[in-house]
Amino acid sequence: QEGRTNLSGMTLDFQFRDVDQTLNARSGSTVNFRNAVYGGVAGGDYDFVKSSVDADWFWLLGGSEEDVRPGFHLALGAGVSDNYGDTRE
């Protein structure tokens, strides 16, 4: 498609956070659930929904008596998008 594309939509996000520090977390976990609806009553050129979930886990390794401890971070994420209404692709 040539020219401009207008995307307008609304989002609804949820977050769970249980970490030792907000910045530079060393232990704990976070889960983010994001949802967006584009088009429809919000206008725009395309009608579609988009959802994603991301999860992060943090662990400290080694003994607590050590001054500097190595850590481990595992992150997983997945998402899906689908059209509705008059949008074909």
Side-chain angles (χ1 to χ4, degrees), residues 12-88:
L12 178 64
D13 303 336
F14 299 97
Q15 182 179 59
F16 170 79
R17 185 182 324 181
D18 183 22
V19 292
D20 61 340
Q21 301 180 92
T22 303
L23 299 175
N24 295 326
R26 295 175 298 171
S27 64
S29 61
T30 63
V31 178
N32 297 299
F33 186 54
R34 296 180 177 94
N35 295 287
V37 177
Y38 293 93
V41 297
D45 297 331
Y46 297 101
D47 300 328
F48 67 99
V49 295
K50 181 172 74 169
S51 294
S52 66
V53 63
D54 302 302
D56 293 275
W57 294 272
F58 304 90
W59 296 276
L60 281 172
L61 305 174
S64 60
E65 65 279 350
E66 297 177 32
D67 290 335
V68 178
R69 295 171 61 188
F72 184 73
H73 173 210
L74 175 65
L76 298 173
V80 66
S81 180
D82 195 17
N83 61 342
Y84 70 92
D86 294 333
T87 302
R88 294 185 201 165

